[in-house]
């Protein structure tokens, strides 16, 4: 039976009250004044949201509800939009109504695999009692300094080979800001012939086709993990209708990798010249650099060097270079998640197609590169593609920058021929194993690259050589285990990392990493169930995090059955 609709009279006063009540939290005048003072004359454009959140976090040590509401009003955004971005990233401390603000100083202890093997757990257990309530001690994911394990970060100051004593000393000193020293600055780089190649390209002394062909001859591939040929990528993006943009990934969040930081701390303009040559060849209108937040010293140094470049450009018409700061999210190493983050959003991977080369940053065709890929451009173009390709072992071509950590005597970045084996890498470049320890196992490609036993130490390390064994080289982050370690413990460490770093967008990864971690923490593993879970995660996850997360426990089941009590 239909009932008549009876209109309800609403008084003018009621309508007025409804209009006066804004959605969300009321903006406090003092908080709004503080936010405006921090932002000053800077733009309030949407893609600067994360940058502005950093300003508030750096100034006040946290993000209060009142400041978030004020920032939302100032930027013309919904409060929910600001809140969901602020709560997505690890390095933002969002304080809800009624909660106490965190301690004014935080000490983060890296709990990555290399640091765990070097004693990070013991350090985490000691520090809270020694530092007291005025200092907050946090367990942190990999901070990109695996060769310095164990590492603690006091405020924004990294403490290598950290001990309770060195951390206490840094806290007492009041020094909490990192700095990079002894690097080749703009003047030094120009004095050594820097930017001459770029000038020659812009002056017409080199043809675009010649440059791209040289890179193709070299065999240089993307060195962030995917390994896509560099020259081919330039051709693809160049063929797209402009305007085109570039995004450079220095997020470097893969546990075990630190090569980009090491090169950046030594010679920042080498990669910048490579980026500008790529921009010239492809027709790029603006370059965006995404730098991981843990690299505080690199950020200050890079800001200073970019300013020098702007004030004294080596060529006319140089595209603007914009530096963007990450906020603690491993997932932003995935190219489309990084682009979302540059746009000021949560770093969630996009469904593909379209690919970022077609529809990338701000909807434009985007040339996305890892830092090290661009680091090599100048040298390859000056020496020739055949020079780079002439290196290599075991039938492989080129050079690889291996980030080596773990139980070797001399960890660090090792520039070695592509195709070198782990045994050769340890013996020839790392001074062998640490005293009294025998080579037991290795991770050839960081946390996501799988785990192999020492008995499989003669496989060439390069792109496409490890896949038949259920592993991959990725960004060439090599972690070496000794007979004092176990593959089971390594798998538990890496999967705990993936569980915490999953963006939560897709169920197979969000729930799969959590379920798998619960299963492998048991004394007895349910191998059939883990096998089913692994297959679902690989088949149905949106991006590489969920697809590669099963690699560590799959490798344990396949290559280390004795650790599980199986034959």
């Amino acid at each position: 039976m239909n009932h008549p609709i009876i209109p309800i009279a609403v008084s003018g006063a009621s309508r007025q009250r409804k209009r006066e009540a804004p959605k969300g939290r009321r903006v406090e005048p003092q908080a709004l004044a503080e936010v405006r003072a921090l932002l000053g004359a800077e733009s309030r454009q949407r893609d600067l949201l994360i940058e502005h959140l950093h300003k508030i976090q750096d100034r006040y040590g946290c993000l209060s509800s009142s400041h978030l509401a004020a920032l939302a009003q100032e930027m013309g955004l919904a409060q929910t939009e600001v809140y969901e971005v602020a709560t997505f990233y690890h390095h933002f401390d969002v304080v809800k109504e009624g909660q106490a603000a965190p301690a004014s100083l935080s000490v983060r202890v890296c709990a990555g695999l290399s640091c765990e093997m070097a004693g990070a757990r013991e350090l985490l257990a000691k520090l809270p009692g020694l530092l007291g309530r005025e200092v907050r001690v946090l367990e942190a994911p990999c901070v990109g300094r695996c060769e310095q394990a164990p590492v603690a970060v006091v405020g924004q100051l990294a403490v290598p080979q950290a001990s309770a004593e060195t951390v206490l000393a840094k806290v007492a000193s009041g020094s909490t800001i990192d700095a990079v020293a002894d690097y080749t600055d703009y003047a030094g780089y120009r004095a050594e012939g820097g930017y001459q190649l770029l000038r020659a390209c812009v002056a017409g002394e080199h043809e675009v086709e010649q440059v791209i062909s040289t890179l193709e001859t070299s065999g240089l591939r993307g060195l962030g993990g995917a390994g896509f040929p560099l020259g081919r990528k330039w051709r693809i993006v160049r063929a797209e209708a402009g305007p085109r943009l570039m995004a450079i990934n220095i997020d470097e969040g893969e546990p075990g990798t630190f090569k980009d930081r090491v090169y950046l701390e030594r010679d920042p303009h080498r990669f910048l010249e490579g980026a500008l040559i790529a921009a010239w060849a492809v027709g790029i209108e603006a370059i965006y650099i995404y730098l991981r937040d843990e690299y505080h010293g690199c950020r200050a140094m890079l800001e200073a060097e970019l300013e020098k470049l702007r004030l004294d450009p080596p060529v006319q018409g140089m595209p603007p270079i914009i530096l963007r700061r990450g906020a603690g999210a491993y997932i932003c190493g995935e190219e489309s998640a990084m682009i979302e983050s540059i746009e000021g959003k949560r770093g969630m991977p996009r469904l593909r197609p379209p690919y970022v080369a077609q529809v990338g940053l701000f909807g434009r065709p985007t040339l996305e590169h890892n830092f090290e890929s661009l680091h090599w451009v100048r040298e390859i173009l000056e020496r020739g593609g055949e020079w780079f390709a002439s290196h290599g072992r075991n039938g492989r071509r080129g050079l690889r920058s291996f980030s080596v950590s773990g139980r070797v005597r001399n960890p660090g970045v090792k520039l070695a021929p592509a195709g070198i084996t782990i045994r050769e890498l340890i013996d020839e470049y790392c001074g062998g194993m640490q005293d009294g320890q025998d080579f037991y196992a290795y991770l050839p490609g960081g946390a996501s690259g799988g785990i192999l036993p020492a008995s499989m130490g003669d496989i060439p390390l390069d792109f496409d050589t490890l896949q038949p064994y259920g592993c991959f080289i990725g960004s060439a982050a090599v972690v070496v285990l000794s007979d004092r370690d176990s593959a089971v413990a390594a798998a538990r460490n890496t999967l705990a990392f993936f569980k915490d770093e999953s963006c939560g967008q897709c169920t197979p990864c969000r729930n799969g990493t959590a379920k798998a971690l619960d299963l492998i923490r048991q004394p007895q593993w349910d191998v059939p169930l883990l096998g089913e879970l692994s297959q679902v995660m690989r088949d149905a996850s949106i991006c590489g995090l969920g697809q590669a997360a099963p690699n560590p426990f799959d490798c344990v089941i396949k290559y280390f059955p004795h650790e599980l009590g199986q034959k």
Side-chain angles (χ1 to χ4, degrees):
M1 179 177 179
N2 294 328
H3 296 280
I5 298 174
I6 302 173
I8 300 174
V10 179
S11 69
S14 297
R15 284 196 298 269
Q16 182 66 22
R17 284 196 300 271
K18 188 174 183 179
R19 284 196 297 268
E20 287 176 353
K23 293 181 179 179
R25 179 187 176 91
R26 287 183 180 272
V27 176
E28 299 174 9
Q30 181 179 345
L32 184 59
E34 290 168 347
V35 167
R36 285 175 173 170
L38 277 177
L39 270 54
E42 291 193 38
S43 171
R44 272 63 167 168
Q45 64 198 56
R46 172 65 179 79
D47 57 288
L48 290 174
L49 174 57
I50 294 173
E51 296 296 309
H52 294 339
L53 288 170
H54 273 303
K55 289 182 176 67
I56 299 172
Q57 173 87 26
D58 290 345
R59 170 64 179 81
Y60 294 99
C62 63
L63 299 173
S64 67
S65 298
S66 59
H67 281 143
L68 291 178
L71 181 62
Q73 177 172 307
E74 189 67 8
M75 297 187 70
L77 300 173
Q79 291 185 22
T80 53
E81 194 172 3
V82 174
Y83 183 81
E84 72 177 6
V85 171
T87 54
F88 181 84
Y89 296 92
H90 296 316
H91 293 178
F92 291 140
D93 292 313
V94 177
V95 178
K96 298 178 182 178
E97 187 72 27
Q99 283 185 335
S104 59
L105 180 63
S106 295
V107 173
R108 289 178 165 85
V109 178
C110 177
L113 180 57
S114 297
C115 285
E116 183 174 85
M117 290 192 296
R121 292 293 167 191
E122 292 82 354
L123 192 58
L124 276 164
K126 286 181 180 179
L127 286 177
L130 295 172
L131 294 173
R133 294 183 179 180
E134 294 182 359
V135 178
R136 181 175 57 161
V137 178
L138 299 172
E139 178 181 319
C142 182
V143 297
R145 296 178 178 272
C146 313
E147 85 281 23
Q148 302 169 0
V151 178
V153 181
V154 178
Q156 296 184 356
L157 176 66
V159 183
Q161 287 88 41
S163 65
E165 292 73 23
T166 57
V167 171
L168 285 170
K170 291 297 182 184
V171 171
S173 73
S175 176
T176 58
I177 302 294
D178 237 332
V180 175
D182 300 324
Y183 66 92
T184 302
D185 65 3
Y186 184 52
Y189 187 72
R190 291 290 297 268
E192 296 172 357
Y195 292 109
Q196 288 185 8
L197 178 60
L198 172 65
R199 291 169 64 88
C201 289
V202 173
E205 297 175 26
H206 300 287
E207 297 291 333
V208 170
E209 178 59 33
Q210 171 200 354
V211 166
I212 294 179
S213 295
T214 299
L215 292 173
E216 289 175 331
T217 299
S218 73
L220 180 65
R221 297 171 64 168
L223 297 170
F228 195 87
L230 205 77
R232 191 191 309 172
K233 183 179 285 191
W234 288 19
R235 290 191 188 280
I236 290 171
V237 180
R238 178 178 167 81
E240 295 289 328
R244 310 174 195 90
L245 300 174
M246 185 189 302
I248 301 173
N249 190 341
I250 321 182
D251 187 65
E252 195 170 41
E254 180 69 29
T257 187
F258 46 89
K259 61 183 176 61
D260 292 350
R261 172 186 58 78
V262 169
Y263 286 141
L264 177 58
E265 289 175 338
R266 296 174 182 172
D267 198 0
H269 287 278
R270 185 167 293 272
F271 103 89
L272 289 171
E273 183 169 12
L276 289 168
I277 291 170
W280 161 80
V282 178
I284 298 297
E285 293 202 355
I287 300 170
Y288 286 78
I289 300 173
Y290 190 81
L291 179 67
R292 74 176 298 182
D293 192 35
E294 289 87 344
Y295 292 170
H296 300 291
C298 289
R299 184 173 63 255
M301 177 269 288
L302 197 51
E303 286 173 344
E305 294 305 311
L306 286 173
E307 183 62 19
K308 295 174 185 177
L309 197 60
R310 293 187 192 103
L311 294 174
D312 180 24
V315 295
Q316 294 301 311
M318 191 179 77
I321 302 176
I322 299 103
L323 179 62
R324 289 291 169 85
R325 178 179 174 183
Y330 167 73
I331 192 64
C332 290
E334 196 275 340
E335 61 179 6
S336 65
M338 176 189 68
I339 284 173
E340 289 286 299
S341 191
I342 292 174
E343 293 179 355
K345 305 171 186 174
R346 293 176 295 170
M348 288 189 166
R350 298 175 179 177
L351 293 172
R352 291 170 288 186
Y355 296 93
V356 299
Q358 303 162 311
V359 182
L361 190 56
F362 306 119
R364 298 179 179 182
T366 302
L367 180 66
E368 190 275 339
H369 273 314
N370 168 256
F371 167 92
E372 194 200 349
S373 306
L374 296 169
H375 173 86
W376 282 110
V377 167
R378 174 189 165 188
E379 193 160 5
I380 288 173
L381 294 180
E382 288 179 340
R383 296 194 178 199
E386 289 295 345
W387 164 80
F388 188 81
S390 67
H391 298 83
R393 293 186 187 178
N394 299 307
R396 312 304 297 178
R397 303 176 72 195
L399 292 165
R400 294 288 174 270
S401 300
F402 294 94
S403 302
V404 186
S405 62
R407 303 298 191 182
V408 295
R409 182 175 283 112
N410 301 316
V413 176
K414 311 298 179 181
L415 183 61
I420 193 171
T421 68
I422 184 62
R423 292 187 183 279
E424 293 168 336
L425 188 63
I426 293 172
D427 293 341
E428 298 176 30
Y429 290 83
C430 302
M433 297 291 292
Q434 292 177 2
D435 292 340
Q437 303 193 40
D438 295 326
F439 178 37
Y440 175 67
Y442 64 110
L443 284 70
S448 58
I451 310 172
L452 292 171
S455 59
M456 299 174 68
D458 296 320
I459 301 170
L461 297 176
D462 197 14
F463 296 113
D464 311 319
T465 60
L466 294 157
Q467 281 85 335
Y469 307 98
C471 299
F472 58 81
I473 194 169
S475 59
V478 178
V479 184
V480 179
L481 279 60
S482 77
D483 53 348
R484 299 185 184 183
D485 308 305
S486 78
V488 166
R492 287 171 176 159
N493 178 286
T494 54
L495 200 59
F497 172 83
F498 292 132
K499 172 185 174 292
D500 291 340
E501 295 295 333
S502 172
C503 75
Q505 181 177 191
C506 66
T507 302
C509 178
R510 180 184 66 248
N511 290 359
T513 52
K515 179 63 176 177
L517 182 59
D518 288 342
L519 289 171
I520 69 171
R521 279 177 170 168
Q522 302 302 315
Q524 296 294 322
W525 287 17
D526 187 335
V527 173
L529 182 56
L530 281 167
E532 293 177 14
L533 187 58
S534 170
Q535 195 62 53
V536 169
M537 293 172 67
R538 294 180 187 280
D539 291 344
S541 295
I542 289 174
C543 80
L545 191 156
Q547 295 161 10
N551 283 345
F553 65 80
D554 280 349
C555 284
V556 169
I557 293 169
K558 187 173 183 180
Y559 301 118
F560 302 89
H562 58 281
E563 290 196 22
L564 303 177
Q566 298 177 344
K567 294 182 180 180

